Amino acid sequence: MPDSQETNPSVSSPTSSGIDWWTMLTDPAYLRNPHAELKRIRELGPIHYDSASGVYFVLGHTEFRLAAAAAEMGRDTRLWTNGWSRPENKQRDPLSYELFSEFQRQMVNSNPPDHRRMRDAYEKALRPSQMAQLLPMIEAECRQLLDALPVDTPVDFMTAFANHLPLRVSRNLFEIPPEMDKQLAQWNTALIKIGDIMMSPDQKREALTALRAYKDYLRGFLASRRGSPGDGFIGLALGALADGIMDEEETLNNLLGLISGNETTVTLLGNGMLTLLRHPAQFNKLRSNLHLMRSTIEEILRYEPGINFILRVAIKDFRCGEFCIPAGSLAIGLVGAINRDPARFEDPDVFDITRQPNAQSIFGGGPHVCIGAALARLEAQAGFTALLERFPRIELAGEPVWWVDRTNQRGLQNLPVRLGPER
């Protein structure tokens, strides 16, 4: 194990600045616009320790990249001292223990070798090189949604487009019938709160109910497809189950995570549209140069990321730059701060769709880098391209409303826009 802070004078102590982290992270004003507060805290130090909870908050770009890639840092929260899934928590908080234990066994929550074993079942199909074959399906879904949008009449971009496109794409990939859209959305709404870290008892009960109902549906759906698995994503799931690569619980949790893991794309579409509308010069540059779409997507992800947290748990003591994160500690990367670190980005508070390079960190890093990152990028590129080609004029038609009932997902509940031809 690396030397600890107490025995190695060359290891600095993270800043302990008396911040009431949990009050700040749930403050509606912060959730609407965290950037000024994150900037102030990051200037005090790149890593902060909260003595009340024992959590380390990482705000520096270099420090986060080190932690995200390190073998000493993982995603299995069962290793988090006094965490949700620890055996001692079974008596203290049985509801949390039950929820997180049932949700635990999937690739995103696992350390090697289990993480790699499960990830291998799907990774090849989600590589960027495989995405081209999905583009016609994504474009067809874009056209259907655009055909239903009113012209020159205010419409909520989130409920009319952004919320639907990623859900439909995921549903198509896993060959789930369209009539399940409403139910999938309801389950997703309950389950997304699991990423918030702080959940009320009611939210935990709702999430546990949704988790079990979702698994029951998927269990029956898989059973109905065993005779004709096909060569798509359901075939991959059934093949991994039949070959013993995953057991049923792992198969169901991974399927659930992959099908429901579309909120990053929802927030990318919503936050991106709002950011472009608030930066008309950059929006016009994109309209005139659609070849800038890829770099625009990366800049949206950096400038207005759709998640606030990326978690890691120290498997061993980890020397992170000048600091040590002890074994069993939870480290939370605050993405909004990491993505605007002036030590990594020139003029970080400027939205520049031509920014190169752009080492934004919303998809994490290291072995746990988001498996669906290429798909999220492709959906956003297809969605924005279709919108710009269909509507020469896109305008704000009212005040956007940010979600303030969730601490991890940072996105828009409503975004009123008006779409139409050139005036």
Side-chain angles (χ1 to χ4, degrees), residues 22 49-57 80-81 325-326 328-331:
W22 308 104
Y49 176 66
D50 177 40
S51 58
S53 62
V55 172
Y56 290 77
F57 291 94
W80 172 21
T81 304
I325 299 176
S329 299
L330 178 68

Side-chain angles (χ1 to χ4, degrees), residues 19-34 37-38 57 193 195-200 203 308-309 334 402-409:
I19 297 167
D20 186 347
W21 287 95
W22 308 104
T23 297
M24 182 190 82
L25 293 171
T26 56
D27 180 5
Y30 172 87
L31 292 169
R32 293 185 189 100
N33 188 355
E37 187 66 3
L38 289 174
F57 291 94
K193 300 292 179 63
D196 283 359
I197 302 177
M198 297 159 286
M199 299 175 70
S200 70
Q203 289 173 334
N308 289 322
F309 308 148
L334 295 178
W402 292 90
W403 289 109
V404 294
D405 68 338
R406 51 198 67 178
T407 57
N408 190 17
Q409 182 198 19

Side-chain angles (χ1 to χ4, degrees), residues 30-274:
Y30 172 87
L31 292 169
R32 293 185 189 100
N33 188 355
H35 299 298
E37 187 66 3
L38 289 174
K39 180 179 181 179
R40 181 187 72 81
I41 297 171
R42 189 187 56 238
E43 288 173 350
L44 298 174
I47 299 181
H48 292 248
Y49 176 66
D50 177 40
S51 58
S53 62
V55 172
Y56 290 77
F57 291 94
V58 182
L59 291 85
H61 187 278
T62 296
E63 290 75 14
F64 173 75
R65 285 300 177 101
L66 289 170
E72 298 93 335
M73 302 292 287
R75 276 294 310 243
D76 191 339
T77 55
R78 291 173 296 186
L79 300 180
W80 172 21
T81 304
N82 297 321
W84 310 295
S85 303
R86 297 285 289 189
E88 55 267 29
N89 201 41
K90 189 174 184 178
Q91 299 300 321
R92 184 173 62 245
D93 187 355
L95 179 59
S96 292
Y97 181 83
E98 194 171 11
L99 171 62
F100 289 104
S101 294
E102 291 200 23
F103 191 71
Q104 173 68 38
R105 294 180 60 209
Q106 56 181 300
M107 68 180 100
V108 73
N109 296 327
S110 300
N111 292 341
D114 291 330
H115 171 258
R116 176 46 59 187
R117 168 176 58 82
M118 290 185 269
R119 187 173 175 121
D120 278 347
Y122 297 102
E123 189 167 53
K124 288 181 181 178
L126 287 165
R127 287 176 179 168
S129 59
Q130 300 298 309
M131 291 297 100
Q133 62 186 321
L134 302 180
L135 187 57
M137 177 270 288
I138 297 171
E139 291 176 334
E141 293 293 351
C142 288
R143 286 193 297 271
Q144 280 194 349
L145 290 168
L146 294 180
D147 288 345
L149 294 179
V151 175
D152 273 329
T153 301
V155 63
D156 177 23
F157 179 74
M158 302 307 298
T159 56
F161 188 83
N163 291 346
H164 291 291
L165 178 62
L167 179 63
R168 290 186 180 189
V169 170
S170 294
R171 179 249 292 156
N172 288 342
L173 290 180
F174 290 90
E175 302 167 64
I176 294 174
E179 54 265 28
M180 285 299 296
D181 279 3
K182 184 176 180 180
Q183 182 62 77
L184 291 174
Q186 290 174 349
W187 286 333
N188 290 352
T189 298
L191 291 173
I192 197 171
K193 300 292 179 63
I194 292 176
D196 283 359
I197 302 177
M198 297 159 286
M199 299 175 70
S200 70
D202 284 345
Q203 289 173 334
K204 291 172 187 175
R205 279 188 284 268
E206 289 169 5
L208 187 57
T209 298
L211 179 63
R212 289 171 174 170
Y214 207 154
K215 285 184 182 180
D216 284 345
Y217 170 76
L218 290 173
R219 190 178 290 109
F221 183 67
L222 286 176
S224 72
R225 291 296 304 272
R226 279 195 172 91
S228 55
D231 57 2
F233 283 81
I234 287 298
L236 294 176
L238 286 169
L241 180 59
D243 294 341
I245 296 170
M246 286 185 263
D247 62 23
E248 184 183 70
E249 188 72 4
E250 291 170 338
T251 300
L252 295 174
N253 274 333
N254 279 302
L255 274 177
L256 182 153
L258 289 166
I259 298 168
S260 301
N262 52 47
E263 292 301 328
T264 299
T265 313
V266 171
T267 56
L268 172 53
L269 290 167
N271 297 5
M273 179 56 71
L274 178 60

